[in-house]
Amino acid sequence: MNIMRPGTRIDKLVGGHAAALSERLQTHREQLFPPDAKRELRKFTSGEVADLLGVKDAYLRKLDLDGKGPSPETRAGGRRYYSPADILALREMLEKGAKTPGTYLPGRRPGDHLQVITVINFKGGSGKTTTAAHLAQKLALDGYRVLGIDLDPQASFSALHGVQPEFDLPDGGTIYDTIRYDDPLPLRDVIQKTYFTNLDLIPGNLDLMEFEHATPMALRERQGSFFFTRIGDALAEVEDDYDIVVIDCPPQLGFLTMSALSAATAILVTVHPQMLDVMSMCQFLLMTSNLLGVVAEAGGSMDYDWMRYVITRYEPGDGPQNQMVSFMRSMFGEHVLNHPVLKSTAISDAGITKQTLYEVERTQFTRATYERAMESLNAVNGEIEGLIQAAWGRGKGM
Ligand SMILES: Nc1ncnc2c1ncn2[C@@H]1O[C@H](COP(=O)(O)OP(=O)(O)OP(=O)(O)O)[C@@H](O)[C@H]1O
Ligand SMILES: [Mg+2]
């Protein structure tokens, strides 16, 4: 049955909707972030910086009084604020005098491999992008050199970092440009700096879909047999520039995701602890296992440092959710991270303005709401940092 008016061309109709929506979104963005005001990361209070560095606030004050390191901006009430660049400068200064190497700059040392963490699950809305963005940003704040890659044509990870593909990437600029089968570009050409010190980005847009279309053709013409090595091969070019790469995958198990899985040294599967989500994950795991088996047979690398499930949008008071979490823990044991990401309005509200919890000011929320969410994110990210350090053969700060 045709529920549209006779003669309505669906392509024209949908195209019209897209144009109207795009215009509105642009206006909305200009209201949030005026084009002449370059998006900048806020400054951090000396208390926050002390927590990040693992020192006392009084020590930072002393450094400042002694004229050592960057001097903070003092605002009303005597509060001291440091920019992200100041935090990095403090790390570099303190690392020079540290008894244990890696205390303030915990990244790679000679011989350590680049770590590539791929965040996946084909269930839409399982918290992949939220997890990937908060992880990438926290690692950058912790002094690691991080590259975030948006593999999702929906480009939510890019939007969280101030890049809106329909306006900012009219002529390409995604990783597709570097993994395409004809005339691939060098990876450096598509890497952008973000307003986070230590965090670079390869944004996503609809071009990424091309890889799903081009790969079957390339396979037929026998140039695509190693499609799964393409992301890893491209990353090899910038291997020395970063400590960690975080890849946000689309909610599907296509060639892009397969290639990201092959490039990965670690895998993070996000799971919302509800029956339907866990059932869907079962299908996802089966398919992944089958597909990776095929890739392994074709010579793809299947060596991983670690693989973990992270529970997302967790509500501790919800009985069925708790049952699901216990069930997963009993099945998968240590493969489930100990800390879940709590469901929090602070995280979803920050998302509405295309920000993470690390970007927004605490004063926008009630203190308890903000702190609970922050504590849970830091606990999850801290566990992951422990796995990263362990993969380099050390406990943090060893
Ligand atoms: N811990 C949380 N608390 C509250 N809201 C959250 C939390 N995590 C994610 N959300 C919200 O849930 C929605 C889906 O999250 P997200 O975009 O991270 O999922 P996704 O798996 O990347 O989705 P997709 O499969 O579409 O890529 C978003 O609106 C996000 O703001
Ligand atoms: Mg996403």
Side-chain angles (χ1 to χ4, degrees):
M1 195 176 74
N2 188 353
I3 53 166
M4 288 183 297
R5 274 182 290 115
T8 305
R9 287 252 324 243
I10 187 73
D11 55 340
K12 296 265 178 349
L13 180 75
V14 173
H17 286 178
L21 185 59
S22 167
E23 201 182 308
R24 281 294 178 88
L25 288 174
Q26 174 71 313
T27 316
H28 176 68
R29 179 166 93 143
E30 279 168 8
Q31 282 163 356
L32 276 180
F33 305 108
D36 47 343
K38 201 168 145 274
R39 191 164 162 182
E40 249 183 49
L41 188 56
R42 68 183 173 97
K43 290 195 170 183
F44 290 72
T45 65
S46 54
E48 287 177 301
V49 176
D51 281 349
L52 281 169
L53 297 178
V55 299
K56 293 258 182 343
D57 192 358
Y59 179 55
L60 291 180
R61 184 184 290 279
K62 181 168 183 313
L63 288 175
D64 180 32
L65 290 174
D66 294 349
K68 291 185 184 153
S71 46
E73 176 193 329
T74 309
R75 293 188 195 160
R79 282 185 158 232
R80 286 139 41 242
Y81 286 81
Y82 292 89
S83 72
D86 293 340
I87 302 175
L88 186 61
L90 278 168
R91 285 190 182 283
E92 283 164 354
M93 183 181 82
L94 293 174
E95 180 69 26
K96 283 195 191 115
K99 285 198 200 84
T100 320
T103 308
Y104 300 100
L105 285 175
R108 283 165 79 188
R109 301 183 204 163
D112 290 345
H113 61 286
L114 173 73
Q115 298 204 31
V116 182
I117 303 175
T118 296
V119 184
I120 50 165
N121 194 336
F122 72 0
K123 177 83 181 153
S126 61
K128 292 178 288 297
T129 302
T130 306
T131 303
H134 284 89
L135 175 64
Q137 295 186 358
K138 180 63 163 69
L139 289 172
L141 287 172
D142 282 340
Y144 295 90
R145 300 166 305 157
V146 184
L147 173 65
I149 304 181
D150 194 346
L151 266 200
D152 189 348
Q154 297 175 91
S156 313
F157 186 87
S158 310
L160 278 177
H161 292 89
V163 176
Q164 207 150 319
E166 62 272 40
F167 314 119
D168 299 324
L169 301 176
D171 306 312
T174 73
I175 201 166
Y176 177 66
D177 297 350
T178 75
I179 59 173
R180 56 188 303 152
Y181 297 98
D182 52 332
D183 301 329
L185 293 177
L187 194 75
R188 280 183 219 286
D189 286 11
V190 294
I191 294 179
Q192 301 193 5
K193 293 267 164 235
T194 70
Y195 46 87
F196 256 85
T197 304
N198 266 1
L199 175 57
D200 291 352
L201 169 73
I202 301 181
N205 77 4
L206 287 175
D207 293 353
L208 289 165
M209 292 294 293
E210 276 305 307
F211 193 67
E212 305 296 340
H213 303 310
T215 299
M217 268 193 299
L219 282 171
R220 270 198 301 277
E221 288 160 19
R222 297 189 167 272
Q223 353 156 330
S225 52
F226 286 101
F227 75 87
F228 48 84
T229 64
R230 294 191 85 78
I231 292 179
D233 290 348
L235 279 176
E237 222 183 280
V238 295
E239 141 110 50
D240 292 337
D241 300 352
Y242 300 99
D243 299 313
I244 300 159
V245 178
V246 176
I247 307 184
D248 181 30
C249 286
Q252 70 200 36
L253 245 183
F255 295 115
L256 275 173
T257 305
M258 298 279 289
S259 188
L261 281 172
S262 282
T265 59
I267 296 179
L268 201 54
V269 182
T270 52
V271 199
H272 180 51
Q274 269 176 358
M275 195 52 170
L276 285 178
D277 296 65
V278 173
M279 282 165 63
S280 145
M281 188 178 75
C282 181
Q283 300 302 311
F284 166 73
L285 293 176
L286 275 173
M287 264 176 76
T288 307
S289 160
N290 290 340
L291 290 170
L292 287 182
V294 175
V295 171
E297 264 167 38
S301 153
M302 287 297 126
D303 289 334
Y304 294 102
D305 294 326
W306 50 267
M307 183 270 190
R308 288 292 183 276
Y309 300 94
V310 54
I311 310 283
T312 58
R313 275 188 288 131
Y314 174 57
E315 295 163 275
D318 183 315
Q321 278 199 24
N322 280 318
Q323 280 177 5
M324 249 18 264
V325 172
S326 310
F327 173 70
M328 284 190 53
R329 290 198 192 286
S330 68
M331 298 257 307
F332 304 136
E334 60 157 7
H335 292 288
V336 185
L337 287 184
N338 290 320
H339 295 92
V341 180
L342 293 182
K343 179 173 179 178
S344 167
T345 50
I347 297 173
S348 45
D349 285 1
I352 291 170
T353 51
K354 305 205 184 76
Q355 290 178 292
T356 69
L357 202 64
Y358 293 118
E359 295 181 75
V360 291
E361 303 269 357
R362 184 202 304 254
T363 46
Q364 288 182 21
F365 303 94
T366 59
R367 199 178 176 94
T369 307
Y370 177 93
E371 278 180 359
R372 256 167 54 89
M374 186 58 101
E375 222 169 79
S376 114
L377 285 165
N378 283 345
V380 167
N381 290 332
E383 271 190 76
I384 297 170
E385 188 187 5
L387 293 164
I388 290 169
Q389 288 290 331
W392 285 328
R394 50 185 178 264
K396 199 189 165 204
M398 270 165 59

